[in-house]
């Protein structure tokens, strides 16, 4: 299965937006949008995404510390 297909399946199953996934997985909110437009990720970037997806398969995907701090400030 291609990387983009795995990401799309994850987005659907987790109800996560493409921009949130990109920000969490590789720090780039446009990552998935660019993949959809034909971008080919570097090997290290693809490996980082694979690790993120593997971690999400075993436990709920954690939000980055910065995102958690932002949520705390809103409440």
């Amino acid at each position: 299965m291609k990387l983009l297909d795995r990401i799309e399946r994850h987005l659907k199953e987790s109800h996560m937006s493409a921009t949130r996934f990109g920000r969490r997985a590789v720090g780039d909110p446009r990552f998935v949008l660019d993949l959809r437009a034909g971008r080919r990720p570097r090997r290290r970037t693809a490996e980082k995404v694979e690790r993120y997806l593997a971690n999400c398969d075993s436990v709920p995907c954690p939000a980055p510390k910065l995102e958690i701090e932002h949520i705390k400030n809103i409440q």
Side-chain angles (χ1 to χ4, degrees):
M1 181 181 287
K2 291 184 179 180
L3 181 63
L4 181 57
D5 294 334
R6 290 194 61 216
I7 293 169
E8 295 289 4
R9 187 181 75 205
H10 175 76
L11 295 178
K12 186 175 181 179
E13 291 174 357
S14 67
H15 305 285
M16 184 184 296
S17 70
T19 54
R20 178 166 287 176
F21 175 87
R23 191 176 298 112
R24 287 182 176 184
V26 294
D28 178 2
R30 291 212 36 92
F31 179 73
V32 177
L33 305 174
D34 290 345
L35 285 180
R36 290 173 179 165
R39 174 178 169 184
R40 295 177 63 175
R42 293 179 180 166
R43 187 187 76 228
R44 288 180 64 186
T45 304
E47 290 169 355
K48 189 184 280 190
V49 172
E50 293 288 354
R51 279 192 306 274
Y52 180 84
L53 290 170
N55 288 337
C56 289
D57 287 344
S58 59
V59 295
C61 296
K65 184 177 180 180
L66 181 61
E67 190 172 321
I68 293 169
E69 291 299 321
H70 177 70
I71 292 169
K72 286 180 182 177
N73 290 335
I74 293 173
Q75 296 174 347

